[in-house]
Amino acid sequence: MPLPGRTSAERRRALLAAETFTEDITFAGRHRIALGFPSSYDVGMSNLGFQWVYRLFNREDDISCERFFWDEADDDRRGPRTLESETPLGDFPLVAFSISWEMDYVNFLKILPLARIPLRREDRGEGDPLILVGGDSARINPAPLTPWVDAFAMGDGEKLAAGIADVLRQELPRDEALAALAALKGIYVPAVHGPRAEGADEGKVVVQQFKAAEGPLREPPHTTILTPHTELSGKLLVEIARGCSEMCRFCWAAYAMAPQVRTAADNVLDVARRLRPLTNRIGLIATAVADHPDILPILNGLAELEYHIALSSVKIDAISAPILAILAKQGERSLAIAPEAGNERLRRAINKKVSDALLREKVQLIAQAGFTNLKLYLQVGLPGETDEDVRDIVRLVDDLRQIMLAEGRKRGRLGTLVPSVNAFIPTPHPPFENESLEDPEALDGKLKLLAESFRRMPNVTFRGMPVNEAIWEAYLAKMGTESEPILLQAATGVPVRRLVREHRETIMSVVRPIANAGADPARRGVFDPAARKASPWGFISKS
Ligand code: SF4
């Protein structure tokens, strides 16, 4: 969405004027933090993790935290500044980034030079800010950012923010501040711990996160600032659970965030009730939204408060007529589910416990509830996949399409199925972390077969992932420090297609490790401690 204002200063004023805070923040603290999201304002303000950490820092005594974003208009002599006070980033003792998507590394690398902060951490001295990175990227694989980042915050903001604030309050010289940060649990400081955390306790950095038993007691993370200038437009986001009980073998979120932490329904509804005067739109956030055992009481409570409720996607086995009725009653006609694979055999292999019969039964319920648009998240290139499995995706979509159409005809409203097919991307932490990305040519062939088959299928709109994007995404997820020249080149604006071509050998050695070629099929998807230890993220531990 286009943001207001022509210059960055005009934009700041207009954005601030349109914001509504859900908690009072005074910005009177003596110790200042600049907290950035290395993407545009509308993307950053839609990110609940970023919004929540902003609140956590500002709740700390004597701490004042301001925001900044990646703004193309900052590419002028003034450089990036904070939204609240237009202070240059170099004037803050601590510049923290929340990075939840590796694609944003490139903007991170652009922001520091524009702010006249030395990019390499070794070149920073007394008077330069400490650069800290938190968010999902830090806890998944911080290795590629180690040349540029002073400290990584690995884990839940609630467990880490107070310790970071304590270090800031002490106003220590740079080396002492780094040592103090390194002494905190869950903070990884490459200059102190070493490039592979060799100097950390037992050579590992332990991610700090809530235990399952703490979940019900927890204040649910929720939006700190409502703004019309995001795609969510004034929607209150509330996190109801983190992690997922399904444990699909490819899913980093389920494994990296295990055990699942669920917020008590009463706590969710308390927040919703308190903030109802500010908005009538709410979005529930969770790794898998309907995986919460009290999802129905939560939805009923929100409906009683007359909220318009949005769910990002619904876990298939949790779909029920009452849940669908609540969503349909408020006019929802679209839903997204994730069968992941075209048949039961492959679903079993990835630990997705959804039979074809269950899938048909749930799609029938969805159609009967009046939903006409159904998005299906699917993957190609999964470990052990055959050509027949790919053709089964076509058969599955056709089968589900018939169910939707039959129901639609009764209601006089035919809908659309949207198979959204991504390549399987091996990521750090789940059992499939050492699997290979599918051979690019084979991947291309599979996606073309699907595009051709769905082109001829009425009421179906196919969305496929470009192969170069898959290669790049797979590389970003698992790369180590060898990526430094590639990321620096990306930050100069070199397109992904060229990067993949020019660095093919390096990239392929990471996304298609030779060890996997001809791997024993019986061992596929089985966690390999030796491979984990050797991986760039091998020092990250859960305990
Ligand atoms: S159901 Fe979704 S969130 Fe849960 S483990 Fe599977 S892929 Fe991950």
Side-chain angles (χ1 to χ4, degrees), residues 243-255 287-288 291 315 338 340 351-352 379:
C244 178
S245 61
E246 189 84 0
M247 309 305 274
C248 300
R249 289 198 172 93
F250 59 85
C251 179
W252 77 263
Y255 287 85
T287 311
D291 202 28
K315 199 159 149 270
E340 308 291 357
N351 202 29
K352 183 103 196 173
Q379 299 186 52

Side-chain angles (χ1 to χ4, degrees), residues 215-220 238-241 261-273 282 284 292-302 305:
L217 310 171
R218 177 177 185 230
E219 178 186 10
V238 185
E239 187 185 67
I240 61 170
V261 174
R262 297 156 170 165
T263 311
D266 284 349
N267 294 7
V268 173
L269 292 173
D270 280 349
V271 169
R273 198 171 296 113
I282 194 163
L284 299 181
H292 197 295
D294 290 332
I295 186 67
L296 203 51
I298 291 173
L299 290 176
N300 277 323
L302 297 176
L305 289 166

Side-chain angles (χ1 to χ4, degrees), residues 371-374 401 404-405 408 413-417 458-460:
F371 288 80
T372 48
N373 294 308
L374 183 61
R401 180 182 76 101
M404 292 287 288
L405 289 183
R413 239 183 326 181
L414 298 184
T416 308
L417 254 82
N459 302 88
V460 170

